[in-house]
Amino acid sequence: MAHVSFSPPYTPSSQMTQQLRDRGYAVLQPHDTAVWLGCDLADLQALASDWADLPPDDFLKDGGRYRRRRHSCFIVDGSAVSQTPHRAHWQPVEYNALHGGMQRWFAPMRDATVQAPVWGRLMRALGGLAQQALATRSETWFIEAHQFRIDTEGGIGRPTPEGAHRDGVDLVAVFLVDREGVKGGETRIFEATGPNGQRFTLSEPWSVMLLDDARMIHETTPIQPDGEHGWRDTLVLTCRRDGFLEDAGQ
């Protein structure tokens, strides 16, 4: 049976803020991602090697070994970007029924990654976009960064084992970093309170999907090997204005 994929509904970078306001999402092709960030695409592509040695995710409740990741947190205050002391990733069960309510300590991102000049550009651009698209005066944004590799060494890899979900933040950015030797991995987004949705497959490195998390639900379908072995690498950034999600029981 032939595998069918749908092309992303790309938006020019000049229109992404209005698209986010009007539709709750925007998808940029790699060239427009670089334009938005004010960098060369090669600067982003140079980060991709950091995904080759991500440690395993030891918290998967389905018993899988298909996910590797690193996680770090940042605060953007106007043009100032600072990395916080390392902290656990926590979500309430209302937003993650599978892994919510757990303090998950992942290995931090490498210093070389977060010290690259393009990383600061990325953080500032995301904070600025959140302020503009969400029409808020807030200049302080709390950003969690997740490096993911989903692989097919065990046959099936699940980018979103928790299923269709929201993240409990203000803005979500999902960058495709690499995709090698896999089929599947279709992105699906739905209005949280309406009938409309989109389905498409991100396949170009450093294309990005941007979501107003209050308005949109998202998921990505499992991947399968298209050959001997493959993987799908992403960078997921979640941006929140009122602090990081906190475990009230801490």
Side-chain angles (χ1 to χ4, degrees):
M1 181 177 176
H3 178 69
V4 178
S5 63
F6 297 89
S7 298
Y10 288 133
T11 298
S13 57
S14 60
Q15 299 175 21
M16 67 175 181
T17 301
Q18 193 61 49
Q19 170 79 358
L20 269 168
R21 290 174 178 169
D22 293 344
R23 303 292 298 275
Y25 70 89
V27 187
L28 305 184
Q29 59 187 349
H31 168 76
D32 284 300
T33 300
V35 169
W36 166 43
L37 299 180
C39 69
D40 292 330
L41 186 55
D43 296 332
L44 292 169
Q45 293 167 337
L47 297 178
S49 61
D50 295 341
W51 272 254
D53 64 346
L54 300 181
D57 182 338
D58 293 324
F59 292 93
L60 288 169
K61 283 190 173 181
D62 63 4
R65 302 295 295 173
Y66 53 80
R67 184 158 76 181
R68 295 174 174 271
R69 70 193 295 179
R70 290 182 183 272
H71 166 254
S72 289
C73 296
F74 303 83
I75 298 175
V76 175
D77 187 2
S79 62
V81 179
S82 59
Q83 185 172 1
T84 72
H86 195 50
R87 53 185 291 124
H89 175 52
W90 185 86
Q91 294 173 293
V93 294
E94 290 85 356
Y95 291 107
N96 190 328
L98 184 60
H99 297 116
M102 303 169 60
Q103 286 203 23
R104 292 181 284 168
W105 288 91
F106 300 110
M109 296 177 63
R110 293 189 178 279
D111 290 344
T113 308
V114 302
Q115 292 172 4
V118 72
W119 186 259
R121 286 181 177 271
L122 206 166
M123 294 288 101
R124 284 187 288 271
L126 191 64
L129 178 63
Q131 183 179 8
Q132 295 169 13
L134 303 177
T136 174
R137 293 183 179 180
S138 177
E139 293 187 359
T140 303
W141 296 94
F142 299 81
I143 298 176
E144 294 197 49
H146 306 262
Q147 293 173 289
F148 289 106
R149 169 164 287 190
I150 308 298
D151 68 44
T152 60
E153 189 171 352
I156 296 288
R158 295 177 174 83
T160 53
E162 65 271 39
H165 65 283
R166 291 165 51 216
D167 288 310
V169 297
D170 290 299
L171 189 68
V172 176
V174 180
F175 296 83
L176 181 74
V177 176
D178 193 17
R179 180 185 168 100
E180 183 69 33
V182 298
K183 54 187 177 181
E186 179 181 87
T187 297
R188 298 176 178 177
I189 57 176
F190 317 90
E191 291 178 341
T193 58
N196 297 318
Q198 290 274 355
R199 56 190 295 194
F200 53 89
T201 302
L202 293 175
S203 60
E204 296 183 87
W206 293 104
S207 52
V208 59
M209 175 182 68
L210 301 156
L211 296 176
D212 181 338
D213 189 61
R215 296 169 58 187
M216 305 301 296
I217 296 169
H218 65 281
E219 67 176 339
T220 301
T221 63
I223 58 173
Q224 302 175 42
D226 189 13
E228 184 175 350
H229 177 54
W231 60 85
R232 180 179 184 268
D233 293 347
T234 55
L235 171 65
V236 177
L237 304 177
T238 63
C239 189
R240 194 168 185 267
R241 76 187 86 182
D242 295 323
F244 297 109
L245 286 168
E246 298 281 3
D247 182 356
Q250 288 188 92

